[in-house]
Amino acid sequence: LTFGRGGLPTINPFEGSLKSLINCYQTDPDSTYRKLRYGVRKNTDGLLRRLAKDHGHEDLGDIKGRTVLAWHRIWTDNGTKVSMGAAFIGQLRTLFTFGRSILECQECVRLGGVMHDLRFEGTKPRKVSVSVEQADAIRYKARLHFGWYSMALGQAFQFECTLRQKDIIGEWVPLSEPGVSSIIHAGKKWIRGIDWREIDDNLILRHITSKKQKETEVDLKLAPMVLEELGEMIGGQSLIGNRYLLPASGPVIICDTNGLPWTDNEWRRKWREVATACGIPKNVWNMDSRSGAISEAVDAGVPLEFVRHAATHSDIAQTQQYDRGQAKATAKVMKARVESRNKKDT
């Protein structure tokens, strides 16, 4: 990567190989790669490094449908690592889309069509959710047994407000990353987590979500778990009409041991420790708190369109994945069929 007139980055010319396509994707100023969030970009770099190492020498013209199918069998270890195969296939689709739209590469046009026609087993949506009973158990255990008030509060925000983990605890990124922050430590800055400034005097939380950059608005007066944990934080006092008892600014979720916002690895590790102490199975993850909130809303009969807005889903199909009503409807139909059949027999 070099810099030309106006300080804009220039890229090495596209030479027709997969490695060359990867280099262009990572360095072109118009590439979607430059818009990826820090954490996503780190994961993408890992996939691209392996692609370049294993298949970078391949000329795009030599890559056929059978070629991709053979690669996929290796990536999935003959079907035992479906998620890994799905990740690489998704990355190839992105590369060929970039080559077609930005580099105007005809081989990428062809390969885009090939990828469209091929079918691969994808990762299935997780069917595991954190229940309200589990969320309560984690809150109480974290606060009363471990003394981790911030984890109890974070769990409450995750479950009640249908927020992702990153929106609760934020993330630490290099100083060179976009975003302004007053929290800087060890060469990194903290961004994207909920801040006390986002909670107004009426206890309304307005937060820009980390994934879709959408503003979500939550009335915390309707979130009993959050109110309970905030009350514990300020000595059991009621918050209604007393917003001034809370900090005016700064990260809401602060690690109880070092006074800094949590790192994602430490949050997951400590959360798992608490969950295990509660007897919660290891296949239930902290990220399942959000799906638990969505599932609870759907099971309560809330219209899917309302749930979609609360979860900031772009497509209602995402929300429908949490709808267990289809199984209930199928059971009802089968029961009615048997009852009708029995009436005819009599």
Side-chain angles (χ1 to χ4, degrees):
L1 176 64
T2 58
F3 291 86
R5 296 180 60 184
L8 293 175
T10 60
I11 58 174
N12 296 324
F14 176 55
E15 298 172 348
S17 68
L18 182 59
K19 183 176 182 179
S20 177
L21 177 62
I22 291 172
N23 287 338
C24 290
Y25 171 68
Q26 291 181 301
T27 58
D28 193 295
D30 294 319
S31 172
T32 55
Y33 173 85
R34 305 176 71 83
K35 298 178 182 179
L36 298 177
R37 290 178 290 119
Y38 175 67
V40 176
R41 196 167 66 249
K42 284 203 305 182
N43 292 335
T44 297
D45 288 343
L47 293 172
L48 293 176
R49 276 194 300 271
R50 181 171 167 186
L51 274 174
K53 177 183 177 182
D54 295 347
H55 307 294
H57 63 280
E58 298 275 1
D59 188 278
L60 295 183
D62 295 331
I63 300 176
K64 314 296 182 184
R66 291 184 186 275
T67 310
V68 177
L69 289 172
W71 293 354
H72 183 258
R73 281 192 291 271
I74 296 173
W75 293 332
T76 61
D77 195 11
N78 289 316
T80 62
K81 300 178 180 178
V82 175
S83 59
M84 180 66 72
F88 278 111
I89 290 299
Q91 197 59 66
L92 280 182
R93 294 187 195 278
T94 298
L95 287 170
F96 297 149
T97 298
F98 162 76
R100 181 183 69 236
S101 59
I102 302 299
L103 301 183
E104 299 181 12
C105 167
Q106 289 304 305
E107 288 297 344
C108 287
V109 174
R110 177 185 66 82
L111 287 167
V114 169
M115 298 299 291
H116 179 270
D117 293 338
L118 293 177
R119 293 292 178 266
F120 303 93
E121 182 181 3
T123 54
K124 295 178 175 60
R126 286 178 59 78
K127 297 297 184 181
V128 180
S129 298
V130 172
S131 67
V132 61
E133 293 81 11
Q134 290 172 332
D136 279 337
I138 289 169
R139 288 194 299 120
Y140 298 144
K141 183 69 72 172
R143 171 162 38 88
L144 299 176
H145 181 77
F146 291 91
W148 296 337
Y149 282 70
S150 67
M151 181 159 290
L153 180 58
Q155 178 64 77
F157 268 106
Q158 279 184 280
F159 191 85
E160 293 276 44
C161 305
T162 325
L163 290 171
R164 293 179 175 86
Q165 180 191 104
K166 195 177 298 295
D167 289 305
I168 298 300
I169 66 172
E171 66 176 326
W172 289 95
V173 302
L175 297 176
S176 58
E177 289 295 305
V180 178
S181 175
S182 59
I183 310 298
I184 297 174
H185 177 71
K188 290 188 174 183
K189 61 184 178 183
W190 177 84
I191 58 175
R192 295 196 175 94
I194 52 176
D195 189 289
W196 291 113
R197 289 172 294 186
E198 298 175 322
I199 302 175
D200 68 16
D201 292 342
N202 294 316
L203 295 180
I204 303 297
L205 168 68
R206 294 180 179 87
H207 178 73
I208 303 297
T209 60
S210 60
K211 185 173 182 179
K212 298 293 182 66
Q213 296 294 294
K214 293 182 178 179
E215 182 178 80
T216 183
E217 181 176 308
V218 181
D219 187 344
L220 298 181
K221 296 188 297 295
L222 304 177
M225 289 186 187
V226 175
L227 290 179
E228 181 179 356
E229 295 304 330
L230 289 176
E232 289 290 337
M233 190 181 75
I234 59 176
Q237 301 182 63
S238 172
L239 277 170
I240 306 302
N242 291 323
R243 167 62 179 83
Y244 67 89
L245 294 173
L246 300 176
S249 64
V252 173
I253 308 300
I254 295 291
C255 178
D256 303 87
T257 57
N258 63 18
L260 294 168
W262 289 80
T263 64
D264 53 357
N265 288 336
E266 189 66 2
W267 175 266
R268 287 192 291 267
R269 188 179 72 83
K270 292 291 181 61
W271 185 92
R272 183 64 258 170
E273 186 176 345
V274 174
T276 299
C278 294
I280 297 173
K282 290 190 176 181
N283 67 325
V284 179
W285 302 342
N286 176 252
M287 63 177 283
D288 297 322
S289 299
R290 173 177 159 85
S291 66
I294 298 171
S295 296
E296 183 185 49
V298 173
D299 290 344
V302 178
L304 286 181
E305 184 62 20
F306 289 7
V307 181
R308 182 182 76 83
H309 283 291
T312 63
H313 286 157
S314 299
D315 190 333
I316 199 169
Q318 292 177 272
T319 314
Q320 288 171 330
Q321 294 176 3
Y322 300 89
D323 188 359
R324 309 295 188 257
Q326 182 179 358
K328 295 179 181 178
T330 301
K332 188 174 183 178
V333 168
M334 294 176 69
K335 183 178 179 181
R337 288 172 57 198
V338 173
E339 290 175 350
S340 175
R341 190 183 309 158
N342 291 337
K343 287 180 181 178
K344 289 180 181 179
D345 290 341
T346 56

